[in-house]
């Protein structure tokens, strides 16, 4: 394997000192024109590329921002990443995007990688419900901002959506449409978002004078389409099938919709469906999906701005930003009851 060309090789080929080569790269105006041309010719001839990581270690300041999300297969997190990347790029930074796949152990591995790379800061949607990974990462003194999660019990910044309000929007809409027996396809119970959306759903039932028994929870191990299809199969097997279903995200809702279509169950006439996130596929589904919209791009943008502020400002006050969701009504919930 060929060895990489170093700055000493350039200096030797150009007949100058290492310091002169460094000046040509970093402060070209300080070097005589003839010398600068000779060094640049050696750089081009040898194919020298400076080590950005080495430069960052010397400067003690990385040009990389870490982003660790729960599931890059979910378009919601793609939109979060888009907002963060655009903000980072405008600030001259790059973004290292990693996917914990809802696994606490994978999250720990990526946080260790961020620490090893000495990234400028991290945007994090936690997968570890215990908070141990965050506690371990905090020891590295690398700033981080929580995304899609309220910074409860911590001093860090966070950007989230009011998921209690979002769950209430979804179920209030179903109750107003005449539904009294509703299923909640909830996802992993350890996720705060899943619990908060359930709390909102129960609040909406209580507002209507209905008890928690009117909400039948169907937990899933993951928040993807396959888990939604599995939940749909379980829903079809219930002796007393609910007339509506609220899903913790749109991927689950699309899976439920697929299961109903395969079984010949009409949506929305036989079963109304409401999702959460309002990803692009929601409107494009065979039956356009009613969904609770989260401003994902805005979340990524705000989180990156807060992280940049913390790493660049002399004084920084941590803050929590809680955005409000919006119900987008489409045909999947418009049954006449």
């Amino acid at each position: 394997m060929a060895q990489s060309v170093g700055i000493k090789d350039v200096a030797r080929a150009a007949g100058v000192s290492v310091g002169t080569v460094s000046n040509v790269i970093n402060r070209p105006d300080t070097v005589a024109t003839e010398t600068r041309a000779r060094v640049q010719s050696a750089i081009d001839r040898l194919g020298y590329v400076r080590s950005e990581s080495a430069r960052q270690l010397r400067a003690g300041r990385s040009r990389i921002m870490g982003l660790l999300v729960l599931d890059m297969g979910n378009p919601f997190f793609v939109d979060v990443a888009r907002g963060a990347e655009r903000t980072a790029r405008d600030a001259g930074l790059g973004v290292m995007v990693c996917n914990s796949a809802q696994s606490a152990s994978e999250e720990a591995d990526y946080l260790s990688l961020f620490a090893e790379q000495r990234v400028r800061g991290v945007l994090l949607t936690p997968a570890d419900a215990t908070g141990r990974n965050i506690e371990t990462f905090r020891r590295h003194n690398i700033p981080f901002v929580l995304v899609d999660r309220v910074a409860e019990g911590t001093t860090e910044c966070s950007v989230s959506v009011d998921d209690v309000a979002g769950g209430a929007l979804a179920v209030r809409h179903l109750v107003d449409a005449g539904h009294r027996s509703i299923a909640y396809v909830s996802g992993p119970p350890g996720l705060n978002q899943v619990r908060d959306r359930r709390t909102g759903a129960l609040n909406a039932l209580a507002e209507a004078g209905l008890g928690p028994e009117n909400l039948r929870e169907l937990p899933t191990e993951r928040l993807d389409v396959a888990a939604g299809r599995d939940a749909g199969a379980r829903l079809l097997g219930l002796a007393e099938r609910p007339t509506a279903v609220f899903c913790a995200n749109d991927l689950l809702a699309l899976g439920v919709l697929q299961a109903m279509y395969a079984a010949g169950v009409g949506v929305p006439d036989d079963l109304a469906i409401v999702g959460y996130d309002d990803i692009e596929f929601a409107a494009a589904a065979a039956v356009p999906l009613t969904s609770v919209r989260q401003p994902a791009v805005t979340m990524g943008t705000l989180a990156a701005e807060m992280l940049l502020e913390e790493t660049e400002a002399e004084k920084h006050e941590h803050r929590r930003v809680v955005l409000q969701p919006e119900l987008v009504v489409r045909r999947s919930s418009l049954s006449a009851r």
Side-chain angles (χ1 to χ4, degrees):
M1 180 181 295
Q3 292 184 341
S4 61
V5 176
I7 193 170
K8 291 181 180 179
D9 300 312
V10 174
R12 189 180 304 112
V16 298
S17 68
V18 169
T20 298
V21 176
S22 178
N23 285 337
V24 169
I25 295 170
N26 298 298
R27 296 176 294 278
D29 294 342
T30 66
V31 183
T33 302
E34 182 181 343
T35 303
R36 188 167 68 239
R38 191 163 73 249
V39 170
Q40 188 59 56
S41 174
I43 288 174
D44 295 341
R45 186 169 68 254
L46 297 175
Y48 168 74
V49 178
R50 74 175 180 177
S51 172
E52 179 65 16
S53 60
R55 186 193 69 80
Q56 290 174 179
L57 286 174
R58 288 193 298 272
R61 194 164 178 80
S62 172
R63 291 181 57 246
I64 298 297
M65 178 186 298
L67 172 62
L68 181 55
V69 300
L70 290 177
D71 181 10
M72 279 306 294
N74 187 338
F76 166 76
F77 288 111
V78 175
D79 287 343
V80 169
R82 194 152 43 110
E85 189 274 336
R86 186 182 304 155
T87 302
R89 186 177 65 240
D90 289 345
L93 304 181
V95 179
M96 182 190 298
V97 182
C98 298
N99 176 28
S100 70
Q102 304 173 39
S103 164
S105 62
E106 291 191 35
E107 175 182 83
D109 290 341
Y110 280 123
L111 289 176
S112 294
L113 175 64
F114 290 153
E116 291 171 6
Q117 295 296 317
R118 302 186 188 182
V119 297
R120 177 76 62 93
V122 174
L123 307 179
L124 170 64
T125 303
D128 178 20
T130 69
R132 284 192 291 266
N133 286 341
I134 289 178
E135 286 301 317
T136 300
F137 184 69
R138 190 178 282 115
R139 300 171 190 166
H140 298 289
N141 293 318
I142 296 175
F144 64 90
V145 174
L146 298 181
V147 184
D148 197 29
R149 169 83 174 269
V150 177
E152 297 173 349
T154 72
T155 59
E156 280 74 28
C157 289
S158 66
V159 182
S160 63
V161 168
D162 189 341
D163 283 316
V164 174
L169 282 174
V171 172
R172 189 179 297 123
H173 167 67
L174 292 172
V175 169
D176 289 346
H179 297 281
R180 294 297 180 266
S181 177
I182 301 170
Y184 176 43
V185 178
S186 60
L191 294 179
N192 282 20
Q193 297 91 328
V194 166
R195 295 197 300 268
D196 287 348
R197 291 165 197 177
R198 179 179 183 273
T199 297
L202 292 173
N203 289 348
L205 289 175
E207 289 172 7
L210 302 172
E213 67 277 2
N214 293 81
L215 189 72
R216 176 71 178 268
E217 186 166 359
L218 297 174
T220 63
E221 293 185 358
R222 303 187 62 79
L223 290 162
D224 54 25
V225 174
R229 285 196 296 267
D230 175 71
R234 283 184 280 154
L235 188 64
L236 290 168
L238 295 177
E240 296 183 9
R241 186 190 307 163
T243 60
V245 58
F246 166 44
C247 298
N249 77 358
D250 285 342
L251 296 182
L252 290 172
L254 291 171
V256 171
L257 179 61
Q258 288 180 6
M260 296 305 111
Y261 181 81
V265 175
V267 175
D269 292 336
D270 298 321
L271 183 77
I273 302 176
V274 176
Y276 205 103
D277 290 339
D278 195 34
I279 62 176
E280 184 177 355
F281 299 128
V287 179
L289 186 67
T290 294
S291 184
V292 178
R293 175 179 294 165
Q294 297 199 85
V297 174
T298 300
M299 290 175 69
T301 299
L302 288 174
E305 289 175 348
M306 293 164 77
L307 187 61
L308 289 170
E309 178 186 307
E310 182 172 356
T311 59
E312 296 175 357
E314 292 185 7
K315 292 185 179 180
H316 171 76
E317 291 187 7
H318 292 300
R319 53 199 171 101
R320 300 176 182 178
V321 175
V322 180
L323 304 173
Q324 291 303 309
E326 174 189 358
L327 182 70
V328 181
V329 178
R330 301 189 181 95
R331 192 155 60 90
S332 70
S333 64
L334 291 179
S335 57
R337 302 196 69 79

